[in-house]
């Protein structure tokens, strides 16, 4: 992108994305790129580049096949910061040595300055706490590099003043590094002289211009799911090209209570947008009859979604573009050297379009992180409730009604879930947690109501806190709140007479039950 001032070369660290986020939080646009990027490509595509960061990674710089970089990038004449593996790689490239450490250093550590004029250390006190995570360490510095700081057991910072190269053994991007953010700011502003010019409003303006140019007088289709990403893409494209965009919104019957109506209202109130709402609930319930296996359900729902989307897409004339709500973590994941073949969520990623349609992908938010996508949504005037929503799985209630999915069970679950979420908002808990929902269990238990014996389903409340949804912990919701929710559900929802709260963390559990 023309705004890119910092390139982060990805060696596969779990923290690479964090480096980009920390940089963008300073209003400096950073892009994560594959480590194979060449000097020539950088020269050609990144005219405003001010600095490069070499990320951490799991390999060893002394291995024969160690991941490396185009050595010419050191001739770009811009500052380069190596983080963990990035520092070790720089060390070996310039003739120093890296070895497996006798004592591996994991966790909190203190660093002590060996020189006092390093610009990385501006406004940072000697002895500051950092986060270490390394098995290898630098044992011999390359020529022209000085030992700039050390920890109790390793070389912590190295510096080549002449070439403007810096290496840090620890992870400044992790919040456990107390002055890590200050160090990143020092690198961006004092060393690279970056300009804090990455503003969401400019992004929206420029992206709309770009969409107009790309699309011309052709038409665009988009599958709307009601989730944040596709909603923001719909808003962005519709503001740019109005009625040339057609959104297809398939109501699978597996959405939250009143979801279809709420989404339609949100758009009709705020945008001049063309949405085709397809009521396909009966088809989905029919296909899901007698199916109990979660993966089987996912496959059926995904395939049917694509089927219906395709039928509708073919009816629209002059379509050249398929818009998608791909976001940056998906892009980084698929270009990373550690790319694993994760299960594709086929219903999101409308991958099965007929080839004869020859559609070109339009992915206007592919370089944004989720929090930036939300900001774009707010900037465009989407309702806050829609933009700040918890994630909702593509197969929807299909995987929250455990066992066979029926319309009746979905309706029971929708009512229970709506009460839980309403109470979460009322008690200011919704925005403080990452994901909350109800799951309907295929178990009936005995209860009493008044003088009558009841025999009804059990509902499980789930609420978790997480940063990346890869790991999660159960939220410690107040007991009184949980009791109130349980009472409301049992009193107001026909079909549920018992409520439990799920206190399983991930791992070993998953967030969803199926
Ligand atoms: P798990 O259950 O794997 O969920 O811990 C992690 C996150 O992913 C969501 N999820 C899905 N999203 N299709 C989706 O689009 C799916 O099949 C699916 N399964 C789980 C889940 O809601 C949570 O946010």
């Amino acid at each position: 992108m023309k705004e890119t001032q910092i390139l982060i070369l990805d060696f596969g660290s779990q923290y690479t994305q964090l480096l980009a986020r920390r940089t963008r939080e300073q209003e400096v646009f950073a892009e994560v790129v594959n480590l194979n990027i060449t000097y020539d490509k950088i020269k050609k595509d990144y005219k405003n580049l001010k600095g490069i960061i070499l990320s951490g990674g799991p390999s060893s710089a002394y291995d024969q096949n160690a991941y490396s970089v185009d050595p010419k990038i050191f001739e770009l004449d811009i500052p380069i910061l190596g983080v963990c593996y990035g520092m070790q790689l720089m060390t070996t490239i310039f003739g120093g040595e890296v070895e497996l450490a006798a004592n591996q250093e994991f966790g909190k550590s203190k660093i002590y300055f060996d020189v006092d004029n390093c610009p990385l250390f501006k406004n940072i006190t000697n002895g500051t706490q950092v986060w270490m995570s390394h098995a290898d360490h630098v044992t011999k510095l390359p020529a022209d590099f000085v030992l700039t700081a050390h920890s109790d057991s390793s070389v912590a910072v190295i510096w080549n003043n002449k070439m403007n190269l810096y290496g840090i053994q620890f992870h400044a991007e992790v919040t456990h590094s107390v002055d890590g953010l200050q160090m990143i700011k020092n690198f961006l502003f004092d060393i690279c002289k970056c300009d804090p010019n990455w503003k969401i409003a400019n992004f929206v303006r420029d992206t709309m211009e770009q969409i107009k140019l790309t699309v011309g007088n052709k038409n665009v289709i988009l599958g709307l799911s009601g989730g944040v990403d596709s909603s923001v893409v719909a808003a962005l494209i519709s503001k740019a090209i109005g009625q040339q965009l057609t959104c297809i919104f398939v109501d699978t019957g597996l959405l939250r209570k009143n979801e279809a109506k709420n989404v339609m209202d949100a758009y009709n109130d705020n945008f001049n947008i063309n949405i085709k709402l397809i009521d396909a609930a009966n088809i989905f319930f029919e296909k899901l009859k007698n199916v109990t296996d979660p993966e089987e359900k996912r496959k059926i729902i995904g395939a049917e979604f694509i089927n219906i989307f395709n039928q509708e897409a073919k009816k629209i004339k002059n379509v050249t573009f398929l818009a998608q709500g791909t976001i940056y973590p998906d892009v980084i994941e698929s270009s990373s050297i550690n790319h694993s073949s994760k299960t594709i969520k086929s219903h999101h990623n409308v991958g099965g379009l007929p080839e004869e349609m020859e559609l070109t992908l339009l992915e206007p938010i592919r370089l944004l992180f989720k929090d930036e996508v939300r900001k774009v949504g707010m900037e465009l005037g989407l309702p806050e409730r829609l933009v700040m929503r918890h994630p909702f799985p593509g197969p929807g209630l299909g995987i929250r009604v455990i066992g066979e999915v029926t319309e009746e069970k979905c309706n029971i679950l929708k009512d229970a879930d709506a009460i839980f979420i309403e109470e979460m908002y009322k008690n200011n808990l919704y925005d403080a947690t990452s994901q909350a929902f109800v799951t309907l269990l295929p178990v009936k238990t005995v209860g009493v109501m008044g003088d009558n014996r009841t025999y009804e389903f059990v509902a499980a409340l789930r609420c978790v806190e997480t940063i990346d949804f890869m790991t999660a912990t159960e939220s410690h919701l107040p007991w009184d709140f949980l009791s109130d929710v349980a009472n409301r559900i049992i009193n107001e929802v026909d079909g549920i007479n018992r409520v439990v709260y799920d206190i399983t963390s991930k791992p070993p559990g998953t967030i969803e039950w199926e």
Side-chain angles (χ1 to χ4, degrees), residues 454-480:
T454 58
Y455 187 56
E456 293 177 344
F457 287 117
V458 182
L461 309 182
R462 180 86 163 128
C463 183
V464 295
E465 271 142 57
T466 171
I467 292 178
D468 53 12
F469 295 87
M470 309 286 279
T471 62
T473 48
E474 72 282 4
S475 304
H476 293 200
L477 297 179
W479 276 119
D480 289 347

Side-chain angles (χ1 to χ4, degrees), residues 294-295 298 343-348 390-396 399-400 434-435 437 462 464 466 468-472 506 509-514:
E295 282 315 300
R298 277 191 171 82
T343 314
I344 294 167
K345 299 168 186 168
S346 48
H347 40 280
H348 267 178
H390 291 172
F392 185 69
I399 55 164
R400 290 185 180 167
S434 310
Q435 197 171 5
F437 58 92
R462 180 86 163 128
V464 295
T466 171
D468 53 12
F469 295 87
M470 309 286 279
T471 62
K506 174 183 177 178
T510 50
I511 296 175
E512 304 288 346
W513 280 45
E514 284 197 334

Side-chain angles (χ1 to χ4, degrees), residues 207-266:
T207 308
M208 280 168 48
E209 275 311 304
Q210 192 55 50
I211 292 170
K212 278 187 207 158
L213 272 176
T214 311
V215 173
N217 62 359
K218 300 287 195 275
N219 288 329
V220 181
I221 48 168
L222 166 73
L224 208 56
S225 70
V228 177
D229 305 335
S230 66
S231 301
V232 169
V233 170
L236 195 55
I237 300 181
S238 104
K239 279 241 159 138
I241 58 167
Q243 296 283 319
Q244 282 169 264
L245 169 71
T246 304
C247 297
I248 298 172
F249 183 20
V250 181
D251 183 354
T252 57
L254 307 169
L255 302 172
R256 286 172 274 216
K257 189 175 180 180
N258 296 331
E259 176 83 354
K261 181 176 180 310
N262 290 344
V263 169
M264 295 301 279
D265 287 350

Side-chain angles (χ1 to χ4, degrees), residues 89-158:
L89 178 67
M90 227 152 56
T91 301
T92 54
I93 287 176
F94 285 93
E97 277 171 24
V98 173
E99 288 171 28
L100 183 64
N103 294 318
Q104 305 182 353
E105 203 178 13
F106 287 103
K108 291 173 186 167
S109 197
K110 294 205 155 130
I111 61 162
Y112 305 97
F113 302 161
D114 294 291
V115 297
D116 51 17
N117 63 340
C118 179
L120 264 188
F121 299 156
K122 191 177 125 186
N123 295 332
I124 294 176
T125 28
N126 200 355
T128 185
Q129 176 193 298
V130 298
W131 183 256
M132 293 281 190
S133 174
H134 63 113
D136 296 340
H137 67 167
V138 172
T139 47
K140 184 176 151 232
L141 263 60
D144 292 332
F145 279 77
V146 289
L147 175 66
T148 311
H150 64 274
S151 69
D152 285 338
S153 58
S154 67
V155 171
V157 181
I158 61 174

